Amino acid sequence: MVLHQMPRWSARLFRAPPGWRRTCVLGPSMGSRWLPDRWGMYSPLVCRGYSSASGSPEVMLTCKRYPVQRLPFSTVSEKDLAAFESIIPGRVITDPDQVEACNVDWLRSVRGCSKVLLRPQTSEEVSHILRHCHERNLAVNPQGGNTGLVGGSVPVFDEIILSTALMNKVISFHNVSGILVCQAGCVLEELSRYVQEQDFIMPLDLGAKGSCHIGGNVSTNAGGLRFLRYGSLRGTVLGLEVVLANGTILNCLTSLRKDNTGYDLKQLFIGSEGTLGIITTVSILCPPRPQAVNVAFLGCPGFAEVLQTFTTCKGMLGEVLSAFEFMDAECMRLVRQHLHLAIPVQESPFYALVETSGSSVGHDAEKLGSFLEQVLDSGLVTDGTVATDQRKVQTLWALRERITEALSHDGYVFKYDISLPVERLYDLVIDLRTRLGPLAKHVVGYGHLGDGNLHLNVTAEAFSEGLLSSLEPYVYTWTAEQQGSVSAEHGLGFKKRHVLGYSKPPVAVQLMQQLKLLLDPKGILNPYKTLPAQD
Amino acid sequence: MVLHQMPRWSARLFRAPPGWRRTCVLGPSMGSRWLPDRWGMYSPLVCRGYSSASGSPEVMLTCKRYPVQRLPFSTVSEKDLAAFESIIPGRVITDPDQVEACNVDWLRSVRGCSKVLLRPQTSEEVSHILRHCHERNLAVNPQGGNTGLVGGSVPVFDEIILSTALMNKVISFHNVSGILVCQAGCVLEELSRYVQEQDFIMPLDLGAKGSCHIGGNVSTNAGGLRFLRYGSLRGTVLGLEVVLANGTILNCLTSLRKDNTGYDLKQLFIGSEGTLGIITTVSILCPPRPQAVNVAFLGCPGFAEVLQTFTTCKGMLGEVLSAFEFMDAECMRLVRQHLHLAIPVQESPFYALVETSGSSVGHDAEKLGSFLEQVLDSGLVTDGTVATDQRKVQTLWALRERITEALSHDGYVFKYDISLPVERLYDLVIDLRTRLGPLAKHVVGYGHLGDGNLHLNVTAEAFSEGLLSSLEPYVYTWTAEQQGSVSAEHGLGFKKRHVLGYSKPPVAVQLMQQLKLLLDPKGILNPYKTLPAQD
């Protein structure tokens, strides 16, 4: 495992937008990486009205942009720094430039003003650090790859940043059961490579895999591209070691598929975004590596036909279906317009990307062939193309995965990540087009149809309060009326914590607050995140 | 949905042992059922030294057999009964015969002395009942199908029995997503039948499916026969409605595959055996029904070969593999001896049962054929037979599923259900044979190899303290040394709560106790269960 400090996206999945400096660094086991130009980087979410002394756009401090009050935590003293230095000699970072990179999220939408970055290597070091912070009432912001989309991974004020970057060792891998045990700071892509060499795959895959840490994936209960096939981390994570707020090490690091001894405590830490404990070690079940991967890119005449294609697909592809994504015509027009990618099928109101992963090349091709014949004959699909070789598979996936990038070229983007009952998945897009009219440049919908997960994006020439107030709370209310989730896979972090109530009843929110109080009575772990501020 | 009060086992999975009265009751949607002869029923765990007035063996009261003290709960008064009657008119049962059936577990190993059985139909009724019990400090024992194996489903003293039997309605089923929402008291087999009519299957299957309630399955985090393929209920259960100890209804009943809004509270109630809340409604994801099911029954020359067969199988059968069970020669000898079943392959030191479930009859047969050729050619398997038609599939499954029954004919049975690292799975069986020598009649091992789950059984002519003290805590210590679980899928209930510490560290046990205190401060929910008694 090699240390990487800067956000690193899989080259296949993320192309540098204008303003990024492309720097390709190759190591013996690392592949290519993108290192962002620290100040020159452009993001549609950058706060344009706020500039640094140098004149380049700088991210406005979260505490200035948002109405949030610092809680009465202590401030880091020289004595604290000395204590940290004695726990992790040489790994207490106070150099402003180094700390600054960890103060800003990768979307450049939120920015803390921490003065200290700690880089422990072991759970015991994390334990000693937290024991000190707990005694001294110092707030701590755990940070993995800093690739979160809701401002959960950077400080809001001056919280100490505790990075898992140096906790990047594989502890064990069992090549019969496929059980991997590793430290929280292992980068997902490196773990993928590691287990693939032994004919397994990681049970999750994400666009941010080149940077994100497995500990962060678990802390945010990451979904991603393999969710439809391999399910939630709540099923595939077998064990965790966690350091609690007071420094106690909680060892739930079993590597057993079945264990019904008492309450399953690890579940408390999956998806709680570092607010209940810091995950230091993960035990996770890896599925066998598929021998064959096929991708079909299809054009559909309407959303009803997309849904019927999905149903047909589930029936006919069954166990080899590994992804079902949909995109509307607007998405694909933007991809063509801004990225000059060719859409390999005739223009259609909707498109679907279907992936199969299986253990037999011939069988999978045959299953896919029968399915395609069926959906073409019945008119559910009007045109389509299939890829079997890896290069073409990647080309087709790029049409789906580069939508985010295409949108960022279109102007300011308002982003929503919601779960809805599958048959209502596209209604909100249609509804918003009517509601917003000329206020919006484009209203587009795409996402993981197989998981009922819609990525709804609205673009405009520039940020507009008027547009925002037409969108919010409307989008959240609409979602709540359908019993949907206002955050399907991104979590709540800092930016969405106030919308929790749209998806959870007051009784649930109250119980969450009680759990927080039980596990972190002083509230030092990732404060201002996940749960709404209490009056 | 139809109400069933008596334990009901799938006829295929459980044949009546001598002393059972076979009563076949057929209803329009019910199939055949076994109704046990209440007093004549024989169980190897019955307390032989204690007899009822009639002379038939009766189960000794738990409070007499075990060193357990009644906690200072109130006793049910006439006023309480009147209050319950006003909440659920006509469904407050105090008839001793009716209540008695719910006081004894189906293994007839534990027996409470409750005087009241409540049968609510709705969550609101459960809420009103618990509010009253909480105010009055009355202890409550939630009960589903009463098929648990660790004494978790019956009272220890005079706890009020709250049965979910009348909460047996399907609320909704979505035939695109496969999401089923139903009340907690729905019987698993009936739900299976219901979703199969719409070309889906339940994500879990158990021997006790004819009686067990889905709410009980979720409360105990049941594993079972489909675990290898469809994973844990922690992944497939999408939402729960739960009534908390004080009567508050906690609605986490989303039907979304992805929802990352706040802490996933439903996980607290999965596997906590009714000690933190009573599950009243379940939302669960059902996989599509496979088109083809094949079963192979194989003979292997050693346990190392069983393991290699499993590895080969995972690679070659991949996504269609749905079960991998193993049995030792001793098991099969007992099945042949006591049940007169023919073993369809030549006698071998070990046997494996491999099941495939897929969407294509031809493809699955081809995959299985290649796999069998490979394992036979390489000598991993020395003999085998394959079944594709349903009747023969069932015949082969019976060899595995009827082991429990065969054991019960062999004498008194000491039962252990443990998880171990797969390569050590059989070592304990070998070890115990040497350790116990002539003390034991038979020491046998079988189980869900694919899940690392060993069912270890030791038979003797009769219960013996000497044998017990050779087994315990030895088995638990041995398991703990391998970082195994002392309860893989059965839970802890009443009978195993004291061995929690063999699989969980003190920090974890303490946190569990804090969670119990937070959610049920008076401790009225299923007391004396799951967590060890506190000094």
Side-chain angles (χ1 to χ4, degrees):
Chain A
M1 288 290 146
V2 186
L3 159 74
H4 306 291
Q5 265 193 271
M6 304 296 285
R8 193 163 61 88
W9 296 82
S10 169
R12 175 189 147 210
L13 298 175
F14 197 83
R15 301 308 190 281
W20 280 63
R21 185 177 60 202
R22 183 175 169 173
T23 312
C24 188
V25 181
L26 281 168
S29 68
M30 289 153 54
S32 64
R33 295 185 252 155
W34 299 99
L35 300 185
D37 177 337
R38 209 168 129 244
W39 300 117
M41 180 180 160
Y42 170 84
S43 156
L45 288 178
V46 76
C47 181
R48 295 177 192 191
Y50 187 85
S51 293
S52 72
S54 70
S56 303
E58 194 182 59
V59 183
M60 191 190 274
L61 283 172
T62 304
C63 59
K64 295 203 173 172
R65 188 175 179 179
Y66 292 89
V68 56
Q69 291 294 313
R70 186 179 183 281
L71 293 168
F73 299 113
S74 305
T75 306
V76 178
S77 67
E78 286 301 321
K79 226 167 138 183
D80 293 321
L81 291 177
F84 295 141
E85 187 61 36
S86 76
I87 300 167
I88 48 168
R91 287 175 279 125
V92 178
I93 317 293
T94 52
D95 169 64
D97 276 356
Q98 281 187 272
V99 179
E100 184 60 16
C102 299
N103 264 319
V104 183
D105 72 326
W106 84 269
L107 283 176
R108 297 181 63 74
S109 64
V110 283
R111 181 171 155 234
C113 49
S114 178
K115 302 281 184 285
V116 194
L117 167 67
L118 305 180
R119 291 156 63 88
Q121 288 175 323
T122 66
S123 308
E124 289 68 29
E125 289 177 351
V126 175
S127 164
H128 289 309
I129 291 167
L130 285 194
R131 194 178 305 147
H132 179 86
C133 293
H134 191 255
E135 276 167 21
R136 281 272 300 126
N137 195 33
L138 288 164
V140 178
N141 179 97
Q143 189 175 83
N146 192 11
T147 60
L149 300 170
V150 287
S153 57
V154 293
V156 174
F157 292 95
D158 58 340
E159 300 91 274
I160 292 164
I161 302 169
L162 191 151
S163 165
T164 52
L166 298 188
M167 301 178 67
N168 57 359
K169 291 186 185 54
V170 169
I171 295 166
S172 65
F173 182 72
H174 192 282
N175 65 7
V176 175
S177 62
I179 295 168
L180 171 74
V181 181
C182 65
Q183 283 190 297
C186 290
V187 171
L188 180 60
E189 195 169 46
E190 294 182 12
L191 291 176
S192 282
R193 205 175 294 124
Y194 177 84
V195 300
Q196 276 190 27
E197 282 165 12
Q198 304 186 61
D199 267 343
F200 285 83
I201 58 169
M202 293 298 290
L204 77 161
D205 188 21
L206 304 177
K209 63 182 160 191
S211 288
C212 64
H213 294 186
I214 188 71
N217 297 147
V218 176
S219 296
T220 55
N221 190 28
L225 306 168
R226 290 180 183 155
F227 189 96
L228 178 68
R229 174 67 167 274
Y230 301 109
S232 158
L233 289 173
R234 297 196 176 275
T236 53
V237 171
L238 302 181
L240 291 179
E241 183 192 56
V242 178
V243 180
L244 302 179
N246 63 4
T248 302
I249 297 177
L250 175 67
N251 184 350
C252 300
L253 199 60
T254 51
S255 289
L256 305 162
R257 290 208 63 180
K258 287 179 174 173
D259 175 26
N260 275 349
T261 52
Y263 308 153
D264 189 4
L265 297 176
K266 70 172 183 285
Q267 298 292 342
L268 282 169
F269 307 97
I270 300 176
S272 58
E273 305 184 292
T275 61
L276 298 180
I278 298 182
I279 293 171
T280 50
T281 316
V282 174
S283 168
I284 190 166
L285 184 68
C286 300
R289 183 183 189 173
Q291 301 298 304
V293 175
N294 296 298
V295 169
F297 194 91
L298 312 170
C300 293
F303 190 71
E305 284 81 5
V306 174
L307 282 181
Q308 281 180 63
T309 302
F310 177 54
T311 314
T312 309
C313 179
K314 285 219 295 184
M316 296 184 72
L317 297 180
E319 63 282 356
V320 298
L321 177 63
S322 56
F324 193 104
E325 302 284 314
F326 90 100
M327 298 76 78
D328 64 13
E330 211 88 333
C331 284
M332 286 300 101
R333 266 182 230 123
L334 294 176
V335 164
R336 196 170 45 205
Q337 181 187 335
H338 295 297
L339 308 178
H340 312 293
L341 297 186
I343 312 303
V345 300
Q346 67 191 33
E347 190 159 348
S348 309
F350 288 91
Y351 303 89
L353 185 151
V354 180
E355 188 190 67
T356 65
S357 305
S359 57
S360 161
V361 177
H363 292 169
D364 293 8
E366 212 178 304
K367 283 192 178 85
L368 190 59
S370 307
F371 157 71
L372 291 173
E373 201 177 302
Q374 165 81 21
V375 288
L376 280 162
D377 285 356
S378 60
L380 296 176
V381 165
T382 47
D383 193 15
T385 183
V386 175
T388 50
D389 73 282
Q390 209 192 337
R391 200 193 50 78
K392 206 181 159 198
V393 162
Q394 288 183 7
T395 307
L396 293 182
W397 262 115
L399 294 169
R400 159 66 184 85
E401 290 168 341
R402 294 185 67 186
I403 295 170
T404 307
E405 188 187 342
L407 285 163
S408 75
H409 289 276
D410 203 51
Y412 190 94
V413 191
F414 296 88
K415 286 180 164 295
Y416 301 95
D417 162 46
I418 56 187
S419 277
L420 287 169
V422 77
E423 70 278 8
R424 301 297 312 268
L425 203 68
Y426 200 70
D427 292 359
L428 180 55
V429 182
I430 298 167
D431 189 15
L432 277 182
R433 282 196 187 124
T434 311
R435 179 180 169 84
L436 301 177
L439 270 176
K441 200 171 162 189
H442 291 106
V443 180
V444 308
Y446 63 99
H448 316 291
L449 184 112
D451 312 325
N453 184 182
L454 171 71
H455 293 310
L456 165 69
N457 286 253
V458 177
T459 65
E461 287 303 340
F463 174 81
S464 135
E465 281 291 352
L467 185 49
L468 183 63
S469 63
S470 293
L471 281 165
E472 296 178 21
Y474 185 78
V475 167
Y476 299 127
T477 310
W478 198 98
T479 304
E481 278 165 7
Q482 310 303 322
Q483 282 80 51
S485 167
V486 293
S487 184
E489 56 179 6
H490 295 166
L492 297 172
F494 172 74
K495 293 194 286 182
K496 286 201 174 179
R497 64 176 179 148
H498 294 291
V499 301
L500 171 58
Y502 287 99
S503 291
K504 293 289 155 68
V507 170
V509 177
Q510 194 189 349
L511 183 50
M512 290 179 202
Q513 276 156 341
Q514 288 172 322
L515 286 170
K516 171 73 177 172
L517 199 63
L518 173 67
L519 280 144
D520 180 16
K522 293 186 175 179
I524 62 167
L525 285 180
N526 222 7
Y528 324 105
K529 311 286 170 65
T530 310
L531 300 183
Q534 285 187 278
D535 300 326
Chain B
M1 289 292 144
V2 186
L3 160 73
H4 305 290
Q5 266 191 270
M6 301 299 283
R8 191 163 62 88
W9 297 82
S10 170
R12 175 191 146 208
L13 298 176
F14 197 85
R15 301 307 193 282
W20 281 64
R21 185 178 59 203
R22 184 174 171 172
T23 312
C24 186
V25 180
L26 281 168
S29 67
M30 289 154 50
S32 63
R33 294 184 257 159
W34 300 99
L35 300 184
D37 178 335
R38 208 168 128 245
W39 300 118
M41 178 179 160
Y42 169 83
S43 155
L45 288 178
V46 76
C47 181
R48 294 177 191 192
Y50 189 88
S51 294
S52 69
S54 70
S56 305
E58 194 182 61
V59 183
M60 191 188 276
L61 281 174
T62 304
C63 58
K64 296 203 174 172
R65 186 175 181 179
Y66 292 90
V68 56
Q69 290 296 312
R70 187 180 183 280
L71 293 169
F73 299 111
S74 306
T75 306
V76 178
S77 67
E78 285 300 322
K79 225 168 140 184
D80 293 320
L81 291 177
F84 296 141
E85 188 61 34
S86 76
I87 300 167
I88 47 168
R91 287 173 281 125
V92 179
I93 316 295
T94 52
D95 170 66
D97 276 356
Q98 280 186 273
V99 178
E100 184 60 15
C102 299
N103 264 320
V104 183
D105 72 326
W106 84 269
L107 283 175
R108 298 180 62 75
S109 64
V110 282
R111 181 171 155 234
C113 49
S114 179
K115 303 280 184 289
V116 193
L117 166 67
L118 304 180
R119 293 158 59 91
Q121 287 175 326
T122 66
S123 308
E124 289 67 30
E125 289 177 351
V126 175
S127 165
H128 289 309
I129 290 166
L130 284 195
R131 194 177 307 147
H132 179 87
C133 292
H134 191 254
E135 278 168 20
R136 281 272 299 125
N137 194 33
L138 288 164
V140 179
N141 178 97
Q143 190 174 86
N146 192 11
T147 61
L149 301 170
V150 287
S153 57
V154 293
V156 174
F157 292 94
D158 58 342
E159 301 92 273
I160 292 163
I161 302 168
L162 191 150
S163 165
T164 52
L166 298 187
M167 301 179 66
N168 58 358
K169 289 186 186 54
V170 169
I171 295 167
S172 64
F173 182 72
H174 192 283
N175 65 7
V176 175
S177 62
I179 296 168
L180 171 75
V181 181
C182 64
Q183 283 189 299
C186 290
V187 172
L188 181 59
E189 195 169 47
E190 293 183 11
L191 291 176
S192 281
R193 203 175 294 122
Y194 178 85
V195 301
Q196 275 189 27
E197 282 165 12
Q198 304 185 60
D199 266 341
F200 286 83
I201 58 170
M202 292 301 287
L204 77 161
D205 188 20
L206 303 177
K209 64 184 160 190
S211 286
C212 65
H213 294 186
I214 187 72
N217 297 147
V218 176
S219 295
T220 55
N221 189 30
L225 306 169
R226 290 180 184 157
F227 189 95
L228 178 69
R229 175 67 167 273
Y230 301 110
S232 158
L233 289 173
R234 297 196 177 274
T236 52
V237 170
L238 302 181
L240 292 178
E241 183 190 58
V242 178
V243 180
L244 302 179
N246 63 4
T248 302
I249 297 178
L250 175 66
N251 183 350
C252 300
L253 200 60
T254 51
S255 289
L256 305 162
R257 289 209 63 180
K258 286 179 175 174
D259 176 24
N260 274 349
T261 53
Y263 310 151
D264 189 4
L265 298 176
K266 70 172 182 287
Q267 299 292 342
L268 284 170
F269 307 98
I270 300 176
S272 58
E273 305 183 289
T275 60
L276 298 180
I278 298 182
I279 294 171
T280 49
T281 317
V282 174
S283 168
I284 191 165
L285 184 66
C286 300
R289 183 182 188 173
Q291 301 299 304
V293 175
N294 297 297
V295 169
F297 194 91
L298 312 171
C300 293
F303 191 70
E305 285 80 5
V306 174
L307 282 181
Q308 282 181 62
T309 302
F310 178 53
T311 314
T312 309
C313 178
K314 284 220 295 185
M316 296 185 72
L317 298 179
E319 63 281 357
V320 299
L321 177 63
S322 55
F324 191 105
E325 302 283 315
F326 90 99
M327 297 77 76
D328 64 14
E330 210 88 335
C331 282
M332 287 300 99
R333 265 182 231 125
L334 294 176
V335 164
R336 197 172 42 207
Q337 180 187 337
H338 295 297
L339 308 178
H340 312 294
L341 297 186
I343 312 302
V345 300
Q346 68 191 31
E347 189 158 350
S348 308
F350 288 91
Y351 303 88
L353 184 152
V354 180
E355 187 191 67
T356 66
S357 305
S359 57
S360 161
V361 176
H363 291 171
D364 293 8
E366 213 178 304
K367 283 192 179 83
L368 190 59
S370 306
F371 157 72
L372 291 174
E373 203 177 299
Q374 165 80 22
V375 289
L376 281 162
D377 284 355
S378 60
L380 295 177
V381 165
T382 45
D383 192 16
T385 182
V386 176
T388 50
D389 74 283
Q390 211 191 335
R391 200 194 48 77
K392 203 180 161 202
V393 162
Q394 288 181 9
T395 307
L396 292 183
W397 263 115
L399 294 171
R400 157 68 183 86
E401 291 168 340
R402 295 184 67 186
I403 295 170
T404 307
E405 187 187 341
L407 285 163
S408 75
H409 289 276
D410 202 51
Y412 190 94
V413 191
F414 296 87
K415 285 180 166 294
Y416 302 93
D417 162 45
I418 57 188
S419 277
L420 287 169
V422 78
E423 69 278 5
R424 302 296 312 267
L425 205 66
Y426 200 69
D427 291 358
L428 180 56
V429 182
I430 297 168
D431 190 16
L432 278 181
R433 282 196 188 125
T434 311
R435 180 181 168 83
L436 301 177
L439 271 176
K441 198 170 166 193
H442 291 107
V443 180
V444 307
Y446 63 99
H448 315 291
L449 184 111
D451 312 327
N453 186 180
L454 171 72
H455 294 309
L456 165 69
N457 287 253
V458 177
T459 65
E461 288 302 342
F463 174 82
S464 133
E465 282 290 351
L467 186 49
L468 183 63
S469 63
S470 293
L471 280 166
E472 296 179 22
Y474 185 78
V475 167
Y476 300 127
T477 309
W478 198 98
T479 304
E481 276 165 9
Q482 310 302 322
Q483 281 80 51
S485 167
V486 293
S487 183
E489 57 180 6
H490 296 166
L492 297 172
F494 172 74
K495 291 193 286 179
K496 287 201 174 181
R497 65 176 180 147
H498 293 293
V499 301
L500 171 58
Y502 287 98
S503 291
K504 292 291 155 67
V507 170
V509 176
Q510 194 189 351
L511 183 50
M512 291 179 200
Q513 276 157 341
Q514 289 173 322
L515 287 168
K516 171 73 177 171
L517 200 63
L518 173 67
L519 280 144
D520 180 16
K522 293 186 175 181
I524 61 167
L525 285 180
N526 221 7
Y528 324 104
K529 312 285 170 65
T530 310
L531 300 183
Q534 285 185 277
D535 301 325

PDB file of all heavy atoms in Angstrom, chain B residues 519-530:
ATOM      1  N   LEU B 519     -32.741   1.988  25.398  1.00  0.00           N
ATOM      2  CA  LEU B 519     -33.987   1.704  24.684  1.00  0.00           C
ATOM      3  C   LEU B 519     -35.069   1.115  25.571  1.00  0.00           C
ATOM      4  O   LEU B 519     -36.249   1.201  25.250  1.00  0.00           O
ATOM      5  CB  LEU B 519     -33.698   0.778  23.505  1.00  0.00           C
ATOM      6  CG  LEU B 519     -33.137   1.551  22.305  1.00  0.00           C
ATOM      7  CD1 LEU B 519     -32.104   0.759  21.557  1.00  0.00           C
ATOM      8  CD2 LEU B 519     -34.263   1.978  21.386  1.00  0.00           C
ATOM      9  N   ASP B 520     -34.663   0.499  26.648  1.00  0.00           N
ATOM     10  CA  ASP B 520     -35.635  -0.178  27.506  1.00  0.00           C
ATOM     11  C   ASP B 520     -35.183   0.000  28.958  1.00  0.00           C
ATOM     12  O   ASP B 520     -34.749  -0.958  29.607  1.00  0.00           O
ATOM     13  CB  ASP B 520     -35.692  -1.664  27.105  1.00  0.00           C
ATOM     14  CG  ASP B 520     -36.678  -2.470  27.951  1.00  0.00           C
ATOM     15  OD1 ASP B 520     -37.536  -1.857  28.634  1.00  0.00           O
ATOM     16  OD2 ASP B 520     -36.580  -3.717  27.935  1.00  0.00           O
ATOM     17  N   PRO B 521     -35.277   1.232  29.460  1.00  0.00           N
ATOM     18  CA  PRO B 521     -34.686   1.524  30.778  1.00  0.00           C
ATOM     19  C   PRO B 521     -35.230   0.672  31.917  1.00  0.00           C
ATOM     20  O   PRO B 521     -34.518   0.392  32.873  1.00  0.00           O
ATOM     21  CB  PRO B 521     -34.989   3.014  30.990  1.00  0.00           C
ATOM     22  CG  PRO B 521     -35.955   3.408  29.941  1.00  0.00           C
ATOM     23  CD  PRO B 521     -35.856   2.422  28.828  1.00  0.00           C
ATOM     24  N   LYS B 522     -36.477   0.234  31.800  1.00  0.00           N
ATOM     25  CA  LYS B 522     -37.020  -0.615  32.868  1.00  0.00           C
ATOM     26  C   LYS B 522     -36.749  -2.101  32.622  1.00  0.00           C
ATOM     27  O   LYS B 522     -37.084  -2.944  33.454  1.00  0.00           O
ATOM     28  CB  LYS B 522     -38.533  -0.393  32.995  1.00  0.00           C
ATOM     29  CG  LYS B 522     -38.911   1.005  33.496  1.00  0.00           C
ATOM     30  CD  LYS B 522     -40.404   1.112  33.731  1.00  0.00           C
ATOM     31  CE  LYS B 522     -40.778   2.444  34.348  1.00  0.00           C
ATOM     32  NZ  LYS B 522     -42.229   2.551  34.600  1.00  0.00           N
ATOM     33  N   GLY B 523     -36.206  -2.402  31.448  1.00  0.00           N
ATOM     34  CA  GLY B 523     -35.861  -3.795  31.150  1.00  0.00           C
ATOM     35  C   GLY B 523     -37.050  -4.715  31.003  1.00  0.00           C
ATOM     36  O   GLY B 523     -36.944  -5.921  31.239  1.00  0.00           O
ATOM     37  N   ILE B 524     -38.202  -4.160  30.573  1.00  0.00           N
ATOM     38  CA  ILE B 524     -39.419  -5.006  30.515  1.00  0.00           C
ATOM     39  C   ILE B 524     -39.490  -5.902  29.278  1.00  0.00           C
ATOM     40  O   ILE B 524     -40.264  -6.852  29.238  1.00  0.00           O
ATOM     41  CB  ILE B 524     -40.726  -4.163  30.583  1.00  0.00           C
ATOM     42  CG1 ILE B 524     -40.824  -3.191  29.390  1.00  0.00           C
ATOM     43  CG2 ILE B 524     -40.838  -3.422  31.911  1.00  0.00           C
ATOM     44  CD1 ILE B 524     -42.215  -2.560  29.233  1.00  0.00           C
ATOM     45  N   LEU B 525     -38.680  -5.596  28.247  1.00  0.00           N
ATOM     46  CA  LEU B 525     -38.793  -6.346  26.992  1.00  0.00           C
ATOM     47  C   LEU B 525     -37.931  -7.602  26.985  1.00  0.00           C
ATOM     48  O   LEU B 525     -36.706  -7.539  27.038  1.00  0.00           O
ATOM     49  CB  LEU B 525     -38.391  -5.461  25.811  1.00  0.00           C
ATOM     50  CG  LEU B 525     -39.403  -4.397  25.384  1.00  0.00           C
ATOM     51  CD1 LEU B 525     -38.857  -3.612  24.201  1.00  0.00           C
ATOM     52  CD2 LEU B 525     -40.745  -5.017  25.029  1.00  0.00           C
ATOM     53  N   ASN B 526     -38.588  -8.729  26.893  1.00  0.00           N
ATOM     54  CA  ASN B 526     -37.924 -10.038  26.844  1.00  0.00           C
ATOM     55  C   ASN B 526     -36.763 -10.135  27.842  1.00  0.00           C
ATOM     56  O   ASN B 526     -35.615 -10.398  27.474  1.00  0.00           O
ATOM     57  CB  ASN B 526     -37.428 -10.332  25.414  1.00  0.00           C
ATOM     58  CG  ASN B 526     -37.677 -11.779  25.019  1.00  0.00           C
ATOM     59  OD1 ASN B 526     -38.331 -12.528  25.758  1.00  0.00           O
ATOM     60  ND2 ASN B 526     -37.166 -12.182  23.877  1.00  0.00           N
ATOM     61  N   PRO B 527     -37.078  -9.964  29.118  1.00  0.00           N
ATOM     62  CA  PRO B 527     -36.016  -9.999  30.127  1.00  0.00           C
ATOM     63  C   PRO B 527     -35.391 -11.386  30.231  1.00  0.00           C
ATOM     64  O   PRO B 527     -35.989 -12.366  29.801  1.00  0.00           O
ATOM     65  CB  PRO B 527     -36.739  -9.634  31.425  1.00  0.00           C
ATOM     66  CG  PRO B 527     -38.173  -9.963  31.179  1.00  0.00           C
ATOM     67  CD  PRO B 527     -38.405  -9.736  29.710  1.00  0.00           C
ATOM     68  N   TYR B 528     -34.196 -11.432  30.782  1.00  0.00           N
ATOM     69  CA  TYR B 528     -33.419 -12.674  30.970  1.00  0.00           C
ATOM     70  C   TYR B 528     -32.915 -13.250  29.642  1.00  0.00           C
ATOM     71  O   TYR B 528     -32.531 -14.411  29.574  1.00  0.00           O
ATOM     72  CB  TYR B 528     -34.226 -13.757  31.712  1.00  0.00           C
ATOM     73  CG  TYR B 528     -35.165 -13.250  32.783  1.00  0.00           C
ATOM     74  CD1 TYR B 528     -36.535 -13.190  32.553  1.00  0.00           C
ATOM     75  CD2 TYR B 528     -34.665 -12.794  34.004  1.00  0.00           C
ATOM     76  CE1 TYR B 528     -37.401 -12.708  33.531  1.00  0.00           C
ATOM     77  CE2 TYR B 528     -35.526 -12.314  34.981  1.00  0.00           C
ATOM     78  CZ  TYR B 528     -36.900 -12.269  34.739  1.00  0.00           C
ATOM     79  OH  TYR B 528     -37.752 -11.792  35.689  1.00  0.00           O
ATOM     80  N   LYS B 529     -32.945 -12.449  28.570  1.00  0.00           N
ATOM     81  CA  LYS B 529     -32.550 -12.958  27.254  1.00  0.00           C
ATOM     82  C   LYS B 529     -31.380 -12.149  26.680  1.00  0.00           C
ATOM     83  O   LYS B 529     -31.206 -10.979  27.020  1.00  0.00           O
ATOM     84  CB  LYS B 529     -33.725 -12.849  26.253  1.00  0.00           C
ATOM     85  CG  LYS B 529     -35.053 -13.373  26.742  1.00  0.00           C
ATOM     86  CD  LYS B 529     -35.145 -14.882  26.780  1.00  0.00           C
ATOM     87  CE  LYS B 529     -36.391 -15.368  27.499  1.00  0.00           C
ATOM     88  NZ  LYS B 529     -37.656 -15.036  26.853  1.00  0.00           N
ATOM     89  N   THR B 530     -30.648 -12.782  25.799  1.00  0.00           N
ATOM     90  CA  THR B 530     -29.585 -12.173  24.963  1.00  0.00           C
ATOM     91  C   THR B 530     -28.376 -11.696  25.756  1.00  0.00           C
ATOM     92  O   THR B 530     -27.260 -12.120  25.501  1.00  0.00           O
ATOM     93  CB  THR B 530     -30.143 -11.006  24.103  1.00  0.00           C
ATOM     94  OG1 THR B 530     -31.314 -11.442  23.432  1.00  0.00           O
ATOM     95  CG2 THR B 530     -29.110 -10.543  23.077  1.00  0.00           C
TER      96      THR B 530
END
